[in-house]
Amino acid sequence: MAIPGHEFLTAHFSDNEKTNVEAYWVTPDGKETRVEHIEAKEGDPSWENLLTHIDIDALHEATYKNIKESQKDFEAMAIQIARDQGIIQELQDINIINKAIVNFLFEQNDQDDNSESKNTLFVFKLKLFELDFIRTCKNRKLKSELRKAENVRQATKIAIDIFEENN
């Protein structure tokens, strides 16, 4: 039944089977909201009363909206937790990204023969070969050149050539 001294606010199904409903009732001054759990069963007085406030189509629509809102809230919470734990960082300024790209492509010393530079190039090439347009490329010559690229800039140029050939 409706909660005395409260007005209907909204409701949504609370389970996948759509056999239970959460109905929200608010006081006329809007200061207090209460939740009523209702079994969606024909003949149940609370269910029958609820249907005088919301029809079944609106209840399904409210359920859909509630699910979407819950997903959005969950994603925002997961992102916030990841930021708080240092798993991801929010990049406020696109210039940071641009500077990193320019440095990566043009300011690295191509003559460096240290293992870190070789490892960076190796990982970069692996990532390039994971791209669909490179993986599915039929031009063996370009793919071979990419494998033999001696620096990131050269690998990038060949990857762009493959991209342009296929698009």
Side-chain angles (χ1 to χ4, degrees), residues 93-110:
D93 190 351
I94 194 71
N95 290 330
I96 294 170
I97 297 170
N98 290 339
K99 182 177 178 181
I101 292 170
V102 168
N103 181 43
F104 188 67
L105 290 175
F106 302 108
E107 293 180 8
Q108 278 189 333
N109 187 347
D110 294 338

Side-chain angles (χ1 to χ4, degrees), residues 66-165:
N66 179 267
I67 290 168
K68 288 298 176 193
E69 189 65 32
S70 295
Q71 287 174 336
K72 189 172 121 182
D73 292 345
F74 176 79
E75 290 168 3
M77 183 176 62
I79 289 170
Q80 188 57 51
I81 290 169
R83 281 188 185 124
D84 292 347
Q85 293 184 0
I87 296 169
I88 61 172
Q89 293 179 338
E90 193 170 344
L91 297 175
Q92 298 291 340
D93 190 351
I94 194 71
N95 290 330
I96 294 170
I97 297 170
N98 290 339
K99 182 177 178 181
I101 292 170
V102 168
N103 181 43
F104 188 67
L105 290 175
F106 302 108
E107 293 180 8
Q108 278 189 333
N109 187 347
D110 294 338
Q111 306 308 316
D112 282 352
D113 202 23
N114 64 40
S115 63
E116 186 178 333
S117 292
K118 286 181 180 180
N119 188 47
T120 299
L121 177 60
F122 177 74
V123 171
F124 184 70
K125 288 180 190 178
L126 282 177
K127 288 296 178 191
L128 288 174
F129 275 98
E130 289 174 5
L131 297 171
D132 282 342
F133 72 90
I134 291 179
R135 196 173 55 248
T136 60
C137 174
K138 303 293 185 213
N139 187 328
R140 292 175 156 248
K141 181 178 180 269
L142 282 176
K143 284 176 104 169
S144 174
E145 288 177 18
L146 180 56
R147 281 187 194 89
K148 296 174 184 174
E150 295 180 8
N151 57 53
V152 170
R153 187 171 41 260
Q154 191 177 43
T156 301
K157 183 185 179 314
I158 296 165
I160 291 169
D161 290 345
I162 292 171
F163 179 81
E164 289 177 344
E165 181 179 280

